[in-house]
Amino acid sequence: MPRVVSVYFPLLPIDRIRRHASEPLPADKPLVVIARSGSKRWISAADPIALKLGLRVGMPASKAQAMVADLLMVEAAPAEDAAVLEKLALWALRQYSPVVAVDGSDGLVMDTEGADHLQGGEELLVSGLVNRLHAHGLTARAAVAETWGAAHALARLLAAQTTVVPVGHVMKTVIDLPLVALRLSSEVIQGLRVLGIDTIGKLSAMPRAPLTLRFGPEPARRLDQMFGRVAEPIEPIRIPELVEASKSFAEPIGAPDTIARYVRRLVGQLSTRLAENGLGARRCDLIIHRVDNTRQYLRAGLAKPVRDPSRLSKLLCDRIQTIEPGFGIEKMVLVAVFAEPLEERQVASSLIEEEVADITPLVDILGNRGHRLFRVAPVASDVPERSVRRISPTAPATGQTWANKWPRPPRLFANPERIEVIALLPDQPPAIFTWHGRRRKVVRADGPERIFGEWWLRPREFHAVRDYFVVEDEQGERYWVFRAGDGIDPETGSHFWFLHGVFG
């Protein structure tokens, strides 16, 4: 089932102007963008401050100046806005989906089928996408649905930053939206409103024949696209710099073995072209064109630049079973959407230097199956939960080590869990503790190890103290527990007990 993501930039001209201004513009003054046609000048975009003051898109520029004295006015630059959208589309193509296109003058659309698992699912994909855009000064909203029309409408008409429509719920979600959601011309919308039709639900209940006779085929076609009755393919953005290989078939193919054979041939051609340009692929997209004018996609990501045909073929062929050829495949295109320079490296003899095992092939296989991989690296911190951080599984060694002489549990909780304890204060370990509703009797213990708060970083931890103990219960299971506080002074902590980790 296709899943389409629509990204809407409601303030694209405003955000572009603020980001690229030679001098920072005052953030507390209203800003509008002025478009012109001949002698006419009107507002084409306005920031939230201007909207609160009563200005609106379409208002004459002279009237806006009369209403707001300190109004900042900048001339519209549609070509620059289009260039920004194209750059964003290429960025999304490399980061999120094999199929990305510019959607009008204020948005992007992408088909994430077969690619969302690389981001941890749809929720994480759209929330991460919007957050990354916000971090770069771009206001954005995103919606996920089964059709381009539904995702386009929801991203623009709902106030939520992200919206994910469950499979099969498109009609229920859009039925009450206004007609502007259908991307119809203003004349058609006005004509329908005269008849009392102002929502998608009312329009869908109308008989098709008189509707088409009066307004033409466009309303019915947009409705069918919205509900998925008619396909609306996305033509992905492509640039000459992308390295690709393609194969068209005189007779459609569909057998898995045949698909795999041609995938290997395409990989061989792509690897040759990458070598000619001194590049290695970091992300490859296999685009499958079916005879019913629909497409399917496979995306393979790599931890490091690669042009080894066997590795690339394995990553793609491992997921051939997810391809549904339908009535047959008429064309396949393999694109290296993200490539980096890759130089040939001489492999030293094992007699001269010890060969280092390369784990990137395993990382690539697991990563393309949807697993989120990482390593933990030391961080200079006295507080245990702050002493580790996640890094890429293929990142070079940081050169840091943990300096603690006391044992640390292999499984350390990110957030210590509260436990009920019977213990003598101030220095005795627990005699009995209850965790997850189970009562455990302590038979051995070691400690305390006292850890102070990082008062030089967080003033509120000036008096904070933790006393840690390694305890073992009657079943031989070992735990890492601590008391918040020194057991005497209440300013040092609450004196509650917590379980922070479990030994193997």
Side-chain angles (χ1 to χ4, degrees), residues 262-481:
Y262 282 107
V263 167
R264 294 189 187 96
R265 292 183 184 179
L266 287 175
V267 169
Q269 297 174 19
L270 186 72
S271 299
T272 301
R273 294 173 186 174
L274 288 170
E276 293 172 354
N277 292 277
L279 300 173
R282 285 291 307 275
R283 191 164 289 115
C284 288
D285 291 339
L286 178 65
I287 305 174
I288 299 158
H289 298 255
R290 305 196 311 189
V291 295
D292 59 355
N293 198 31
T294 60
R295 301 185 183 98
Q296 284 190 294
Y297 319 97
L298 290 182
R299 165 158 285 192
L302 298 114
K304 295 180 179 180
V306 172
R307 58 171 176 256
D308 179 9
S310 61
R311 280 183 61 181
L312 293 174
S313 297
K314 179 173 177 56
L315 292 178
L316 292 169
C317 291
D318 278 352
R319 295 166 56 206
I320 280 181
Q321 70 275 6
T322 64
I323 298 175
E324 297 178 3
F327 296 106
I329 298 170
E330 62 181 2
K331 184 179 180 181
M332 293 197 302
V333 181
L334 183 62
V335 186
V337 296
F338 188 15
E340 293 180 350
L342 177 63
E343 298 180 356
E344 299 291 349
R345 184 175 62 88
Q346 182 176 357
V347 178
S349 169
S350 59
L351 297 176
I352 300 174
E353 110 182 347
E354 183 179 355
E355 185 177 356
V356 179
D358 185 8
I359 66 168
T360 53
L362 177 61
V363 170
D364 292 338
I365 291 173
L366 296 177
N368 283 280
R369 290 177 180 174
H371 300 285
R372 302 182 69 82
L373 307 177
F374 62 89
R375 295 198 340 255
V376 293
V379 176
S381 176
D382 290 337
V383 180
E385 62 267 28
R386 300 174 193 156
S387 64
V388 295
R389 65 184 176 96
R390 294 183 179 185
I391 62 174
S392 167
T394 58
T398 62
Q400 296 181 332
T401 58
W402 286 285
N404 295 306
K405 297 181 180 179
W406 288 77
R408 292 290 184 263
R411 182 186 174 193
L412 184 70
F413 300 159
N415 298 304
E417 298 184 10
R418 177 82 181 274
I419 57 176
E420 299 296 329
V421 169
I422 297 176
L424 294 175
L425 297 180
D427 298 325
Q428 296 302 310
I432 296 173
F433 71 95
T434 303
W435 180 49
H436 287 180
R438 180 181 170 188
R439 188 181 176 93
R440 294 167 171 83
K441 183 178 180 181
V442 176
V443 296
R444 295 179 183 85
D446 189 14
E449 174 193 1
R450 176 158 291 183
I451 294 177
F452 294 91
E454 296 177 328
W455 51 267
W456 57 94
L457 297 176
R458 298 170 176 82
R460 64 181 181 277
E461 295 182 2
F462 187 82
H463 298 289
V465 171
R466 292 181 184 178
D467 283 343
Y468 279 87
F469 296 86
V470 178
V471 299
E472 181 179 329
D473 67 7
E474 294 175 308
Q475 282 70 42
E477 296 177 348
R478 299 170 66 231
Y479 305 90
W480 204 39
V481 302

Side-chain angles (χ1 to χ4, degrees), residues 3 16 18 24 46 58 81 91 101-102 106 178 187 208 243 245 295 330 386 400 472 475 493:
R3 298 293 283 172
R16 175 187 59 78
R18 290 197 178 277
D81 294 336
W91 169 77
V102 174
D106 57 7
E187 293 80 7
R208 288 292 179 95
V243 181
R295 301 185 183 98
E330 62 181 2
R386 300 174 193 156
Q400 296 181 332
E472 181 179 329
Q475 282 70 42

Side-chain angles (χ1 to χ4, degrees), residues 33-103:
V33 178
I34 303 299
R36 67 170 63 236
S37 177
S39 60
K40 294 182 179 180
R41 301 171 70 243
W42 69 91
I43 297 176
S44 61
D47 70 358
I49 300 177
L51 294 174
K52 288 181 180 179
L53 294 175
L55 305 185
R56 56 180 175 80
V57 175
M59 177 182 290
S62 57
K63 183 177 179 180
Q65 283 181 304
M67 290 177 59
V68 181
D70 58 347
L71 182 63
L72 298 176
M73 304 175 67
V74 180
E75 293 294 327
E80 295 183 18
D81 294 336
V84 170
L85 268 184
E86 184 175 345
K87 289 180 180 179
L88 289 170
L90 293 173
W91 169 77
L93 176 71
R94 294 185 173 101
Q95 297 294 326
Y96 291 99
S97 170
V99 178
V100 180
V102 174
D103 188 5

Side-chain angles (χ1 to χ4, degrees), residues 229-285:
R229 303 183 190 120
V230 173
E232 188 178 8
I234 302 170
E235 192 62 37
I237 188 172
R238 288 288 182 265
I239 57 174
E241 289 78 9
L242 293 179
V243 181
E244 64 178 57
S246 63
K247 174 65 178 177
S248 298
F249 306 103
E251 294 292 334
I253 65 172
D257 292 344
T258 306
I259 297 174
R261 182 169 68 253
Y262 282 107
V263 167
R264 294 189 187 96
R265 292 183 184 179
L266 287 175
V267 169
Q269 297 174 19
L270 186 72
S271 299
T272 301
R273 294 173 186 174
L274 288 170
E276 293 172 354
N277 292 277
L279 300 173
R282 285 291 307 275
R283 191 164 289 115
C284 288
D285 291 339

